[in-house]
Amino acid sequence: MERTVLHVAIDSFPIQAERFRCPKLRGRPVALAPENSPRPRVLAVSREAQAAGIRPGTPLVVARRLCRGLVALPPDHGLYAGVGEAILERLLPFAPVVEPAGGGLGGLGGFGGAAASGRFFLDLTGVTRTAAGPPEVS
């Protein structure tokens, strides 16, 4: 039997989790950077921050010069793990096997369990279609 695996990846997962917590961040340039570092570097960025030329690894001081309206936040490992676990729970009914992908969050390191990566694999092998197919167009 041919295997069917669905990969779910949430773009900029830690940024999306921050926006879930604080909706005022939506549409604004956001970067995550450690607050206890003498020379912090950006760990993750929103698309708006990327458009201003900021990439992971950019020194925070340079990022602030590139984008005057940048919102810099310290990473919240517990938040990302909690949101990832909530997503994992919501995916479980859809497949007999659901696994969070390993790895860190855009350079944020492996913390809070694999669900904190915002990436999941669903093994749909043998799962029958429960909804009708796409409608016929004539």
Side-chain angles (χ1 to χ4, degrees):
M1 176 186 298
E2 186 176 318
R3 298 190 69 81
T4 303
V5 177
L6 174 67
H7 177 222
V8 176
I10 300 169
D11 184 40
S12 303
F13 178 71
I15 301 294
Q16 299 306 331
E18 292 289 352
R19 287 176 169 168
F20 179 75
R21 173 171 46 194
C22 180
K24 290 181 180 180
L25 295 174
R26 291 187 182 140
R28 298 188 61 194
V30 179
L32 300 181
E35 61 184 351
N36 297 338
S37 173
R39 289 185 236 156
R41 292 188 174 271
V42 171
L43 300 172
V45 296
S46 66
R47 289 183 182 208
E48 296 82 4
Q50 285 179 356
I54 302 168
R55 304 282 180 265
T58 303
L60 185 56
V61 104
V62 173
R64 288 187 190 280
R65 274 191 230 129
L66 289 170
C67 183
R68 297 278 181 219
L70 182 69
V71 177
L73 302 170
D76 184 339
H77 310 307
L79 172 67
Y80 314 142
V83 172
E85 288 297 326
I87 292 169
L88 179 63
E89 286 178 22
R90 290 204 168 61
L91 292 174
L92 288 172
F94 293 100
V97 179
V98 179
E99 293 181 10
L105 293 174
L108 295 177
F111 58 83
S117 71
R119 297 175 50 226
F120 307 89
F121 292 100
L122 287 75
D123 187 347
L124 301 174
T125 306
V127 174
T128 58
R129 184 180 296 245
T130 56
E136 291 293 323
V137 178
S138 44

